């Protein structure tokens, strides 16, 4: 009820947190957070903070069956109990978490060259430290970086972005308050160069006439995110090169 | 102290220390049927312990009503069970019983202080009664510590426990003088802790003798019964 | 949390411990340096991340209004949970509830002596509940110690909003929680201890064991030491036995190491505060450089 009265876009065209409708939140990314993981990355997108770690490719764990022609991608998603504004009691099997993990896995099955690693398994572990909307998209972005850090062959960057639509205005990269307004929430993941989508998911309802605009905005957002992820990756590679050149043992 | 109190168990014992009354039953060595037990091969036996507390066992039960308190009580019981298993693990010759499990079931009928120590002692008796090979009998004792007066109370009652600044429980393998379990909660200084542990050790030595006597006399009793018919 | 080590590796480690020169060059009672970053999760009441070696623990503290413990109606209370994050190395191997609850109950036990009467709002009815949620991001040895350091740092960082209690005249009370970020109280954490874990290898005990050393330790003792040098909890978790005399020596060194750790933690937190006052916009937390931080 309260959210209906809230004005999500002011007459000046500014959103609650001062952004314009087609503006992303501030994104800061770091590749290589943990030394003992094969690959790891951390992304802060506004107040959403997510850690991704990748292990593999390694021997298939006991609960999975190996596939003879490609690798299995295993994805786990957890939210810290202190991540949300109200503390959440820790639960072991959260259906929404499983759902999100399945979506992320699906996106990467289309991007990772799994046929290069037959009979093996690649683990993607996602840990939300702070949750403020767009978790799905941020998870995918963090996982992309972590997979690259692990040196796993991929066709391309997978970049994801979520778009909401309130009062007929498409809003890029919605935060928690905008998300809880009850409007549609479209999450799109694309392969950056070919602009092929690997994930499209939407909650709630949206008029078909508006869908095109919303989707286009999401894909534009993905392109913008790509350049940010790319520069984080370049920075990491440069640091590794510098480390290798100076003779210090880089953590590879 | 008596053994052979539960007829269908492999071994059992009952221990009474004033208001603290504990019963232990040992089942095993038997096939490990717990989850995951059958899938993997174990060169050693697994020692497992379950603790049940009679609802009337201790006066603090009235504070336990309500769901939250119940779950924390369940967690405390699990911790209690792990402690009992830890204390005994190193003295039971697990390597003699490959692929099997030895299950200890402890029932606390009354708790008037020192339930952990009593349970460990009772389990030791039950294990001996079951004829399971052990390096030695583990005996445990507890003390209450009063920080302001530097006094160590031997074998405290529930009332003494609740007023003490700290409680310590120690399990000792008497023959080779090894501490197999140590647990102290509450605040105390280094000196007092050391004093407490020394007190526990000397109690353990006394208990060791007593428990040996109990086992011998129960064996004699049993032989007499077998000879009679 | 153990590795499978060959007999030769085990013998090598044991020989190093016996010679008082461990494989990384430390003495038996030497502690590795640790790093602390506090206040890095902005939507918590307090948070801290502590790294020691590769072990990496993040603790978030949230204060919420709840009901007090019936046995202590005039005190607030703590609730502790510990979670091995899925990012933790081979999480599947450690992912059993037992280790998590053991760690959580150990921490809860160390906090028993803390006076929480300042957290009481309406006696018997309302109080602040301090939820301490720990995430073990990387478990690579000495988890108990690192966890307790992180908990203490996070509690030191915790700010609790002030509450106005007013009677509405009909016997009901109304609570007004201040939303001014400066109108807050800090927790009194002087009585919060740190855990020092001592591992017995051969005929000696060592502090701050690495995961390799942990794997060949015969028994381990966790000792919680507060700033006065008093013990708040002593517990022996593993199966092996330990000689009484060695145990007394271990308690002695736990006391020294514990007090040293506490003062070191204090100094590190002060230093962080000063650095933050000078460079308020410096990058912190997980965005900092891996190399420069370690």
């Amino acid at each position: 009820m309260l959210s209906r009265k809230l004005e999500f876009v002011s007459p000046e065209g500014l959103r609650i947190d001062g952004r314009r409708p087609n503006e992303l939140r501030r994104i800061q990314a770091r590749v290589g957070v943990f030394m003992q993981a094969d690959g790891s990355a951390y992304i802060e997108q506004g107040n959403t903070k997510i850690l991704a770690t990748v292990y593999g490719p390694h021997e298939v764990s006991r609960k999975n069956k190996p596939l003879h022609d490609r690798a299995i991608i295993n994805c786990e998603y957890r939210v810290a109990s202190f991540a949300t504004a109200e503390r959440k009691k820790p639960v072991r099997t959260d259906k929404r978490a499983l759902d999100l993990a399945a979506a992320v896995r699906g996106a990467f099955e289309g991007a990772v060259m799994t046929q290069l690693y037959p009979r093996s398994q690649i683990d993607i572990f996602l840990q939300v430290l702070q949750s403020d909307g767009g978790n799905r998209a941020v998870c995918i972005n963090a996982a992309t970086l972590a997979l690259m850090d692990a040196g796993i062959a991929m066709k391309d960057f997978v970049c994801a972005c979520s778009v909401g639509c309130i009062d007929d205005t498409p809003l890029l990269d919605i935060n928690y308050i905008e998300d809880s307004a009850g409007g549609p929430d479209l999450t799109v993941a694309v392969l950056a160069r070919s602009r092929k989508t690997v994930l499209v998911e939407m909650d709630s309802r949206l008029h078909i006439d508006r869908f095109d605009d919303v989707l286009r905005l999401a894909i534009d957002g993905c392109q913008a995110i790509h350049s940010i992820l790319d520069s984080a990756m370049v920075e990491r590679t440069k640091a590794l090169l510098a480390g290798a050149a100076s003779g210090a043992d880089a953590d590879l | 102290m008596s053994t052979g109190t539960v007829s269908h168990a492999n071994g059992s014992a009952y221990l009474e220390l004033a208001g603290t009354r504990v019963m232990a039953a040992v089942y095993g060595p038997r096939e490990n049927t717990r989850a995951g037990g059958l899938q993997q091969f174990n060169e050693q036996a697994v020692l497992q312990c379950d603790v049940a507390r009679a609802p009337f066992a201790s006066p603090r039960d009235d504070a336990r009503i309500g769901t939250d308190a119940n779950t924390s009580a369940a967690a405390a019981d699990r911790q209690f069970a792990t402690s009992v298993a830890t204390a005994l693990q190193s003295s039971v010759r697990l390597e003699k019983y490959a692929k099997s499990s030895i299950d200890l079931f402890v029932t606390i009928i009354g708790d008037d202080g020192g339930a952990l120590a009593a349970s460990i002692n009772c389990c030791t008796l039950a294990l001996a009664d079951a004829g399971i090979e052990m390096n030695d009998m583990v005996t445990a004792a507890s003390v209450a510590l009063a920080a302001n007066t530097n006094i160590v109370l031997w074998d405290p009652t529930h009332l003494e426990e609740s007023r003490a600044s700290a409680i310590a429980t120690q399990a000792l393998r008497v023959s080779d003088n090894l501490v197999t379990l140590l647990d102290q909660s509450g605040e105390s200084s280094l000196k007092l802790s050391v004093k407490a542990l020394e007190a526990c050790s000397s109690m353990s030595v006394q208990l060791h003798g007593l428990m040996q006597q109990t086992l011998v006399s129960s064996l004699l009793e049993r032989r007499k019964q077998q000879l009679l018919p | 949390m153990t590795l499978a080590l060959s007999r030769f590796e085990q013998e090598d480690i044991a020989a190093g411990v016996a010679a008082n020169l461990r494989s990384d060059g430390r003495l038996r009672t030497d502690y590795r340096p640790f790093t602390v970053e506090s206040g890095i999760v902005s939507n918590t009441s307090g948070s801290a991340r502590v790294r020691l070696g590769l072990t990496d623990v993040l603790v978030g503290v949230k204060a919420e209004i709840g009901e007090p413990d019936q046995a202590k109606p005039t005190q607030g209370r703590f609730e502790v949970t510990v979670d091995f994050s899925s990012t933790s190395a081979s999480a599947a191997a450690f992912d059993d509830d037992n280790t998590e609850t053991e760690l959580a109950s150990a921490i809860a036990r160390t906090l028993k002596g803390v006076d929480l009467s300042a957290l009481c709002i309406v006696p018997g009815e309302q109080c602040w509940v301090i939820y301490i949620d720990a995430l073990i991001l990387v478990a690579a040895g000495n988890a108990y110690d690192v966890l307790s350091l992180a908990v203490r740092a996070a509690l030191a960082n915790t700010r609790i909003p002030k509450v106005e209690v007013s009677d509405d005249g009909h016997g009901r009370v109304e609570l007004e929680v201040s939303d001014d970020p400066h109108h807050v109280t800090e927790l009194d954490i002087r009585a919060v201890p740190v855990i020092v874990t001592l591992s017995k290898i051969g005929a000696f005990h060592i502090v701050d064991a690495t995961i390799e050393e942990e794997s060949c330790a015969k028994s381990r003792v966790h000792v919680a030491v507060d700033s006065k040098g008093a013990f708040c909890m002593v517990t022996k978790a593993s199966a092996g036995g330990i000689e009484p005399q060695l145990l007394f020596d271990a308690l002695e060194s736990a006391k020294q190491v514990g007090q040293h750790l506490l003062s070191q933690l204090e100094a590190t937190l002060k230093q962080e505060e000063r650095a933050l006052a000078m460079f308020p916009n410096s990058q912190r937390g997980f965005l900092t450089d891996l190399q420069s931080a370690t």
Side-chain angles (χ1 to χ4, degrees), chain C residues 8-85:
Chain C
F8 301 106
E9 281 173 293
Q10 292 193 8
E11 279 169 5
D12 192 49
I13 290 171
V17 170
N20 204 5
L21 184 67
R22 291 150 72 178
S23 38
D24 48 7
R26 283 184 290 155
L27 304 179
R28 285 195 287 265
T29 51
D30 276 353
Y31 224 87
R32 284 170 290 177
F34 57 87
T35 59
V36 186
E37 289 167 292
S38 51
I40 54 172
V41 187
S42 54
N43 64 348
T44 56
S45 315
S47 63
R49 176 191 185 203
V50 173
R51 278 175 292 168
L52 175 78
L54 286 180
T55 303
D56 198 327
V57 173
L58 177 67
V59 171
V61 175
K62 268 188 186 287
E64 284 178 9
I65 292 176
E67 279 178 21
D69 190 351
Q70 291 302 319
K72 291 175 183 165
T74 57
Q75 301 230 330
R77 60 189 167 94
F78 284 122
E79 292 252 334
V80 188
T81 67
V82 175
D83 188 16
F84 276 98
S85 161

Side-chain angles (χ1 to χ4, degrees), chain C residues 29-34 149 194 196 207 225-227 229 253-268:
Chain C
T29 51
D30 276 353
Y31 224 87
R32 284 170 290 177
F34 57 87
L149 282 170
V194 286
V196 180
V207 298
V225 185
D226 71 8
S227 51
S253 44
K255 182 180 168 181
Q256 284 168 8
V257 172
Q259 279 182 299
H260 179 66
L261 270 183
L262 277 171
S263 61
Q264 211 178 332
L265 179 65
E266 210 75 355
T268 321

Side-chain angles (χ1 to χ4, degrees), chain A:
Chain A
M1 267 200 341
L2 192 105
S3 54
R4 273 289 91 189
K5 280 180 215 148
L6 245 158
E7 202 169 53
F8 286 97
V9 183
S10 69
E12 295 82 36
L14 293 178
R15 288 153 71 177
I16 297 166
D17 51 9
R19 285 184 287 157
R20 302 202 170 276
N22 57 358
E23 200 177 338
L24 286 168
R25 288 178 284 182
R26 185 160 102 117
I27 301 177
Q28 287 174 289
R30 167 153 292 274
V31 188
V33 191
F34 300 123
M35 298 238 250
Q36 46 52 271
D38 293 318
S40 55
Y42 172 72
I43 294 191
E44 276 187 28
Q45 186 155 343
N47 274 326
T48 298
K49 299 176 183 176
I50 291 174
L51 267 171
T53 359
V54 168
Y55 289 91
H58 58 75
E59 198 185 345
V60 175
S61 70
R62 229 177 292 162
K63 29 177 195 184
N64 296 325
K65 248 181 109 180
L67 298 176
H68 68 93
D69 58 344
R70 64 197 148 95
I72 298 171
I73 295 181
N74 169 42
C75 184
E76 265 178 50
Y77 169 86
R78 282 205 206 173
V79 183
S81 7
F82 52 76
T84 42
E86 289 263 305
R87 182 185 177 271
K88 250 191 2 192
K89 258 199 172 158
V91 270
R92 261 292 119 104
T93 44
D94 183 356
K95 239 186 124 205
R96 287 174 62 179
L98 291 177
D99 184 41
L100 198 146
V104 175
R105 191 183 64 225
F108 283 101
E109 268 167 357
V112 174
M113 299 166 108
T114 49
Q115 72 279 8
L116 293 179
Y117 313 104
R119 309 193 65 80
S120 56
Q121 173 177 339
I122 297 165
D123 292 321
I124 305 172
F125 295 130
L126 300 160
Q127 175 75 54
V128 179
L129 301 179
Q130 209 170 321
S131 165
D132 187 29
N135 289 5
R136 219 165 267 251
V138 181
C139 274
I140 291 174
N141 295 336
T144 303
L145 292 178
L147 280 165
M148 289 189 173
D149 187 35
I152 288 169
M154 286 161 73
K155 288 183 194 137
D156 200 351
F157 274 88
V158 184
C159 303
C161 187
S162 65
V163 175
C165 187
I166 300 173
D167 300 332
D168 282 346
T169 319
L171 300 175
L172 185 65
D173 187 15
I174 50 174
N175 65 21
Y176 179 72
I177 302 173
E178 290 163 340
D179 192 16
S180 26
D185 167 17
L186 177 77
T187 302
V188 178
V190 298
L191 296 179
R193 220 162 309 139
S194 57
R195 291 177 70 111
K196 275 186 194 154
T197 56
V198 283
L199 173 89
V200 179
E201 268 194 355
M202 198 182 76
D203 299 337
S204 191
R205 63 172 195 273
L206 175 67
H207 196 277
I208 192 78
D209 294 345
R210 300 239 114 254
F211 187 76
D212 234 21
D213 289 350
V214 171
L215 184 64
R216 195 153 303 136
L217 181 63
I219 292 175
D220 287 348
C222 291
Q223 295 294 342
I225 285 170
H226 172 235
S227 63
I228 296 168
L229 298 186
D230 192 48
S231 60
M233 208 57 229
V234 167
E235 192 190 322
R236 165 69 170 167
T237 315
K238 273 188 186 152
L240 280 178
L241 273 175
S246 68
D249 52 338
D251 59 310
L252 266 181

Side-chain angles (χ1 to χ4, degrees), chain C residues 54-192:
Chain C
L54 286 180
T55 303
D56 198 327
V57 173
L58 177 67
V59 171
V61 175
K62 268 188 186 287
E64 284 178 9
I65 292 176
E67 279 178 21
D69 190 351
Q70 291 302 319
K72 291 175 183 165
T74 57
Q75 301 230 330
R77 60 189 167 94
F78 284 122
E79 292 252 334
V80 188
T81 67
V82 175
D83 188 16
F84 276 98
S85 161
S86 45
T87 59
S88 168
S90 54
F94 304 146
D95 203 11
D96 60 305
D97 285 344
N98 259 341
T99 327
E100 288 175 0
T101 40
E102 247 166 55
L103 278 164
S105 71
I107 293 295
R109 276 177 66 189
T110 64
L111 296 173
K112 257 190 194 150
V114 182
D115 183 25
L116 293 179
S117 44
L119 297 180
C120 177
I121 302 168
V122 182
E125 281 171 29
Q126 307 244 271
C127 71
W128 284 106
V129 183
I130 309 291
Y131 291 97
I132 301 173
D133 294 305
L135 265 185
I136 305 212
L137 296 172
V138 181
N142 212 4
Y144 277 84
D145 297 20
V146 182
L147 183 61
S148 75
L149 282 170
V151 166
R152 195 182 149 104
L155 288 175
N157 180 245
T158 300
R159 301 287 179 273
I160 296 165
K162 288 203 169 117
V163 182
E164 297 270 328
V165 182
S166 54
D167 203 319
D168 68 348
H170 304 288
R172 276 176 302 183
V173 282
E174 264 176 32
L175 301 182
E176 198 179 321
V177 180
S178 162
D179 51 8
D180 177 359
H182 297 290
H183 200 55
V184 289
T185 48
E186 291 180 24
L187 280 175
D188 180 13
I189 56 144
R190 277 171 302 177
V192 178

Side-chain angles (χ1 to χ4, degrees), chain C residues 200-205 243 246:
Chain C
K200 179 192 161 195
I201 296 178
F204 301 93
H205 62 80
E243 294 80 3
L246 185 60

Side-chain angles (χ1 to χ4, degrees), chain B residues 68 78-79 82 86 89-90 170 172 177-190 193-194 197-198 201, chain C residues 77 79 101-102 105 109 226 228 230-244 247-248 251-252 255:
Chain B
D68 251 19
R78 256 207 313 274
Q79 186 77 33
T82 332
T86 312
Q89 202 135 36
S90 67
Q170 183 196 254
L172 188 73
N177 202 22
L178 275 183
V179 178
T180 60
L181 176 89
L182 174 63
D183 194 272
Q184 183 202 312
S185 49
E187 204 181 304
S188 84
S189 66
L190 173 64
S193 282
V194 170
L197 298 184
E198 276 165 352
S201 298
Chain C
R77 60 189 167 94
E79 292 252 334
T101 40
E102 247 166 55
S105 71
R109 276 177 66 189
D226 71 8
K228 288 177 298 187
F231 298 143
C232 306
M233 176 200 76
V234 181
T235 174
K236 184 183 146 302
S238 47
I242 184 166
E243 294 80 3
L247 189 60
F248 298 153
L251 289 178
E252 177 100 51
K255 182 180 168 181

